[in-house]
Amino acid sequence: EVQLVASGGGLVQPGKSLRLSCAASGFTFDDYAMHWVRQAPGKGLEWVSGISWDSGTIGYADSVKGRFTISRDNAKNSLYLQMNSLTAEDTALYYCAKDIAAASLYYFDCWGQGTLVTVSS
Amino acid sequence: EIVMTQSPATLSVSPGERATLSCRASQSVSGNLAWYQQKPGQAPRLLIYGASTRATGIPARFSGSGSGTEFTLTISSLQSEDFAIYYCQQYNNWLTFGGGTKVEIK
């Protein structure tokens, strides 16, 4: 069974940093691209960032470009999101999601339950 | 960035009726479109990819159509478990989601 367990969320002050992690199991992690997708309270879905199996293809939403950095460690079956210069607009539930492909960024066939990030003073 | 616009924002439908949801792209995404269903407190679930291919385990009452800039998700006969929010997502040029359509009980 595919499992994606995100962690690292919490309450953080504006301007500070936070690092999210996603532990994957139940599939061959380095056979797939991975993503972060977020959902602000009561709002819709927003793709944040994605990374191919070998980290050769990386993409970011315009709203986080230059502030967030996605990475992965295939030896540890883990996905990360380093978030810097956080603002209240970054407050959301952050989902870790598995792509259907390895080398390109397409769509998501499995999602974790998410980790909540709240940016507030 | 490709902007995805879904309509209507809310659709009120009686159980057993047909529901038609629309998704429009600001520029052509070819057939690179997926649909998801999200219920309260749950992660989204993949329904359709490639604009018209049902994902594994998705009932036949869900169908997708369209290409280029205009797409439709049709639920042929709404069941109680289908009342949820539906999102389209393009993957032709990076990835973007539509704002969602809430399907509620009439």
Side-chain angles (χ1 to χ4, degrees), chain A residues 1-7 21-27 29 33-35 77 79 95-99 108-115:
Chain A
E1 179 194 1
V2 172
Q3 283 202 318
L4 299 170
V5 180
S7 61
S21 299
C22 173
S25 61
F27 65 101
F29 184 69
M34 297 292 295
H35 301 264
N77 289 348
L79 176 71
Y95 290 104
C96 168
K98 172 184 166 292
D99 202 296
F108 325 103
D109 63 350
C110 294
W111 301 64
Q113 286 308 304
T115 187

Side-chain angles (χ1 to χ4, degrees), chain A residues 3-10 18 20-23 35-40 45 79 81 83 92-98 110-118, chain B residues 38 41-44:
Chain A
Q3 283 202 318
L4 299 170
V5 180
S7 61
L18 205 60
L20 305 183
S21 299
C22 173
H35 301 264
W36 291 99
V37 177
R38 69 184 180 184
Q39 188 167 34
L45 301 170
L79 176 71
L81 186 67
M83 304 186 296
L93 183 65
Y94 283 74
Y95 290 104
C96 168
K98 172 184 166 292
C110 294
W111 301 64
Q113 286 308 304
T115 187
L116 182 63
V117 173
T118 303
Chain B
Q38 188 180 33
Q42 296 184 16

Side-chain angles (χ1 to χ4, degrees), chain A:
Chain A
E1 179 194 1
V2 172
Q3 283 202 318
L4 299 170
V5 180
S7 61
L11 175 63
V12 61
Q13 292 179 329
K16 300 295 188 181
S17 299
L18 205 60
R19 189 193 194 208
L20 305 183
S21 299
C22 173
S25 61
F27 65 101
T28 304
F29 184 69
D30 55 10
D31 276 353
Y32 296 95
M34 297 292 295
H35 301 264
W36 291 99
V37 177
R38 69 184 180 184
Q39 188 167 34
K43 302 297 183 182
L45 301 170
E46 180 186 18
W47 175 73
V48 173
S49 182
I51 184 169
S52 63
W53 72 279
D54 62 351
S55 304
T57 297
I58 289 176
Y60 298 96
D62 289 345
S63 58
V64 307
K65 204 171 291 183
R67 299 188 300 121
F68 289 12
T69 302
I70 192 171
S71 61
R72 63 190 294 162
D73 185 336
N74 289 341
K76 295 183 178 180
N77 289 348
S78 293
L79 176 71
Y80 306 101
L81 186 67
Q82 177 67 42
M83 304 186 296
N84 299 332
S85 304
L86 286 162
T87 73
E89 287 66 46
D90 297 315
T91 293
L93 183 65
Y94 283 74
Y95 290 104
C96 168
K98 172 184 166 292
D99 202 296
I100 58 92
S104 297
L105 306 181
Y106 288 149
Y107 54 90
F108 325 103
D109 63 350
C110 294
W111 301 64
Q113 286 308 304
T115 187
L116 182 63
V117 173
T118 303
V119 184
S120 174
S121 55

Side-chain angles (χ1 to χ4, degrees), chain B residues 2-80:
Chain B
I2 297 177
V3 177
M4 306 300 292
T5 303
Q6 291 187 242
S7 61
T10 303
L11 186 61
S12 298
V13 186
S14 299
E17 288 189 341
R18 181 186 198 90
T20 303
L21 288 66
S22 296
C23 175
R24 174 177 293 178
S26 61
Q27 64 189 77
S28 177
V29 300
S30 187
N32 297 317
L33 188 103
W35 288 94
Y36 302 85
Q37 176 194 68
Q38 188 180 33
K39 296 180 181 179
Q42 296 184 16
R45 176 175 71 144
L46 177 66
L47 296 176
I48 301 282
Y49 61 91
S52 60
T53 303
R54 278 189 303 276
T56 303
I58 301 304
R61 64 180 182 272
F62 291 92
S63 63
S65 63
S67 65
T69 62
E70 301 283 343
F71 300 88
T72 301
L73 175 69
T74 302
I75 312 171
S76 60
S77 176
L78 271 159
Q79 307 297 302
S80 57

